[in-house]
mmCIF file of all heavy atoms in Angstrom:
data_model
loop_
_atom_site.group_PDB
_atom_site.id
_atom_site.type_symbol
_atom_site.label_atom_id
_atom_site.label_comp_id
_atom_site.label_asym_id
_atom_site.label_seq_id
_atom_site.Cartn_x
_atom_site.Cartn_y
_atom_site.Cartn_z
ATOM 1 N N ASP A 19 35.663 9.948 22.824
ATOM 2 C CA ASP A 19 36.077 11.192 23.475
ATOM 3 C C ASP A 19 36.339 10.960 24.967
ATOM 4 O O ASP A 19 37.310 11.482 25.536
ATOM 5 C CB ASP A 19 35.005 12.276 23.324
ATOM 6 C CG ASP A 19 34.857 12.792 21.910
ATOM 7 O OD1 ASP A 19 35.829 12.691 21.136
ATOM 8 O OD2 ASP A 19 33.766 13.287 21.579
ATOM 9 N N VAL A 20 35.457 10.186 25.595
ATOM 10 C CA VAL A 20 35.619 9.906 27.022
ATOM 11 C C VAL A 20 36.863 9.060 27.255
ATOM 12 O O VAL A 20 37.640 9.311 28.186
ATOM 13 C CB VAL A 20 34.363 9.206 27.588
ATOM 14 C CG1 VAL A 20 34.581 8.808 29.049
ATOM 15 C CG2 VAL A 20 33.145 10.120 27.471
ATOM 16 N N VAL A 21 37.077 8.061 26.410
ATOM 17 C CA VAL A 21 38.285 7.241 26.519
ATOM 18 C C VAL A 21 39.534 8.118 26.411
ATOM 19 O O VAL A 21 40.496 7.961 27.173
ATOM 20 C CB VAL A 21 38.289 6.141 25.441
ATOM 21 C CG1 VAL A 21 39.672 5.499 25.311
ATOM 22 C CG2 VAL A 21 37.253 5.076 25.768
ATOM 23 N N ALA A 22 39.526 9.065 25.471
ATOM 24 C CA ALA A 22 40.671 9.955 25.288
ATOM 25 C C ALA A 22 40.926 10.780 26.546
ATOM 26 O O ALA A 22 42.085 11.000 26.944
ATOM 27 C CB ALA A 22 40.442 10.866 24.086
ATOM 28 N N ARG A 23 39.868 11.235 27.198
ATOM 29 C CA ARG A 23 40.023 12.035 28.422
ATOM 30 C C ARG A 23 40.549 11.182 29.570
ATOM 31 O O ARG A 23 41.343 11.654 30.389
ATOM 32 C CB ARG A 23 38.693 12.687 28.793
ATOM 33 C CG ARG A 23 38.236 13.716 27.769
ATOM 34 C CD ARG A 23 37.107 14.563 28.286
ATOM 35 N NE ARG A 23 36.636 15.498 27.261
ATOM 36 C CZ ARG A 23 35.915 16.573 27.516
ATOM 37 N NH1 ARG A 23 35.570 16.866 28.764
ATOM 38 N NH2 ARG A 23 35.514 17.371 26.541
ATOM 39 N N VAL A 24 40.110 9.927 29.638
ATOM 40 C CA VAL A 24 40.623 9.024 30.662
ATOM 41 C C VAL A 24 42.107 8.755 30.417
ATOM 42 O O VAL A 24 42.917 8.723 31.356
ATOM 43 C CB VAL A 24 39.823 7.702 30.690
ATOM 44 C CG1 VAL A 24 40.458 6.702 31.653
ATOM 45 C CG2 VAL A 24 38.369 7.968 31.101
ATOM 46 N N ARG A 25 42.491 8.572 29.158
ATOM 47 C CA ARG A 25 43.910 8.363 28.834
ATOM 48 C C ARG A 25 44.767 9.531 29.322
ATOM 49 O O ARG A 25 45.834 9.333 29.909
ATOM 50 C CB ARG A 25 44.079 8.185 27.320
ATOM 51 C CG ARG A 25 43.631 6.834 26.802
ATOM 52 C CD ARG A 25 43.648 6.792 25.288
ATOM 53 N NE ARG A 25 43.353 5.451 24.800
ATOM 54 C CZ ARG A 25 42.959 5.179 23.561
ATOM 55 N NH1 ARG A 25 42.817 6.163 22.672
ATOM 56 N NH2 ARG A 25 42.725 3.925 23.198
ATOM 57 N N ARG A 26 44.285 10.745 29.086
ATOM 58 C CA ARG A 26 45.041 11.929 29.526
ATOM 59 C C ARG A 26 45.085 12.019 31.051
ATOM 60 O O ARG A 26 46.126 12.330 31.638
ATOM 61 C CB ARG A 26 44.430 13.203 28.938
ATOM 62 C CG ARG A 26 44.635 13.347 27.427
ATOM 63 C CD ARG A 26 44.345 14.769 26.981
ATOM 64 N NE ARG A 26 42.952 15.150 27.180
ATOM 65 C CZ ARG A 26 41.991 14.951 26.291
ATOM 66 N NH1 ARG A 26 42.252 14.367 25.129
ATOM 67 N NH2 ARG A 26 40.750 15.347 26.544
ATOM 68 N N ALA A 27 43.947 11.755 31.687
ATOM 69 C CA ALA A 27 43.876 11.888 33.147
ATOM 70 C C ALA A 27 44.767 10.878 33.860
ATOM 71 O O ALA A 27 45.351 11.181 34.901
ATOM 72 C CB ALA A 27 42.431 11.735 33.614
ATOM 73 N N PHE A 28 44.884 9.660 33.287
ATOM 74 C CA PHE A 28 45.641 8.607 33.955
ATOM 75 C C PHE A 28 47.016 8.374 33.329
ATOM 76 O O PHE A 28 47.786 7.545 33.824
ATOM 77 C CB PHE A 28 44.825 7.308 33.968
ATOM 78 C CG PHE A 28 43.682 7.327 34.945
ATOM 79 C CD1 PHE A 28 42.462 7.892 34.594
ATOM 80 C CD2 PHE A 28 43.827 6.823 36.232
ATOM 81 C CE1 PHE A 28 41.402 7.937 35.495
ATOM 82 C CE2 PHE A 28 42.780 6.864 37.132
ATOM 83 C CZ PHE A 28 41.570 7.426 36.769
ATOM 84 N N GLY A 29 47.315 9.076 32.255
ATOM 85 C CA GLY A 29 48.636 8.977 31.656
ATOM 86 C C GLY A 29 48.950 7.639 31.046
ATOM 87 O O GLY A 29 50.078 7.131 31.155
ATOM 88 N N THR A 30 47.980 7.017 30.403
ATOM 89 C CA THR A 30 48.199 5.728 29.753
ATOM 90 C C THR A 30 47.359 5.624 28.496
ATOM 91 O O THR A 30 46.256 6.182 28.424
ATOM 92 C CB THR A 30 47.864 4.552 30.687
ATOM 93 O OG1 THR A 30 48.054 3.317 29.977
ATOM 94 C CG2 THR A 30 46.424 4.619 31.184
ATOM 95 N N ARG A 31 47.877 4.892 27.510
ATOM 96 C CA ARG A 31 47.114 4.654 26.282
ATOM 97 C C ARG A 31 46.196 3.443 26.419
ATOM 98 O O ARG A 31 45.271 3.282 25.635
ATOM 99 C CB ARG A 31 48.082 4.397 25.119
ATOM 100 C CG ARG A 31 48.936 5.580 24.722
ATOM 101 C CD ARG A 31 48.129 6.630 23.995
ATOM 102 N NE ARG A 31 47.468 6.101 22.804
ATOM 103 C CZ ARG A 31 46.529 6.750 22.120
ATOM 104 N NH1 ARG A 31 46.118 7.940 22.525
ATOM 105 N NH2 ARG A 31 45.984 6.213 21.037
ATOM 106 N N LYS A 32 46.485 2.596 27.415
ATOM 107 C CA LYS A 32 45.758 1.336 27.514
ATOM 108 C C LYS A 32 44.441 1.536 28.259
ATOM 109 O O LYS A 32 44.310 1.297 29.463
ATOM 110 C CB LYS A 32 46.608 0.285 28.212
ATOM 111 C CG LYS A 32 46.117 -1.138 27.979
ATOM 112 C CD LYS A 32 47.137 -2.162 28.417
ATOM 113 C CE LYS A 32 46.651 -3.571 28.076
ATOM 114 N NZ LYS A 32 47.630 -4.590 28.509
ATOM 115 N N VAL A 33 43.456 2.016 27.517
ATOM 116 C CA VAL A 33 42.124 2.296 28.064
ATOM 117 C C VAL A 33 41.086 1.825 27.052
ATOM 118 O O VAL A 33 41.257 2.021 25.846
ATOM 119 C CB VAL A 33 41.929 3.809 28.334
ATOM 120 C CG1 VAL A 33 40.510 4.097 28.813
ATOM 121 C CG2 VAL A 33 42.940 4.311 29.352
ATOM 122 N N GLY A 34 40.040 1.194 27.523
ATOM 123 C CA GLY A 34 38.946 0.767 26.649
ATOM 124 C C GLY A 34 37.621 0.881 27.369
ATOM 125 O O GLY A 34 37.569 1.208 28.562
#
Side-chain angles (χ1 to χ4, degrees):
D19 290 336
V20 175
V21 166
R23 294 193 183 198
V24 174
R25 285 172 174 162
R26 290 195 296 272
F28 286 84
T30 178
R31 294 287 303 168
K32 198 167 184 181
V33 176

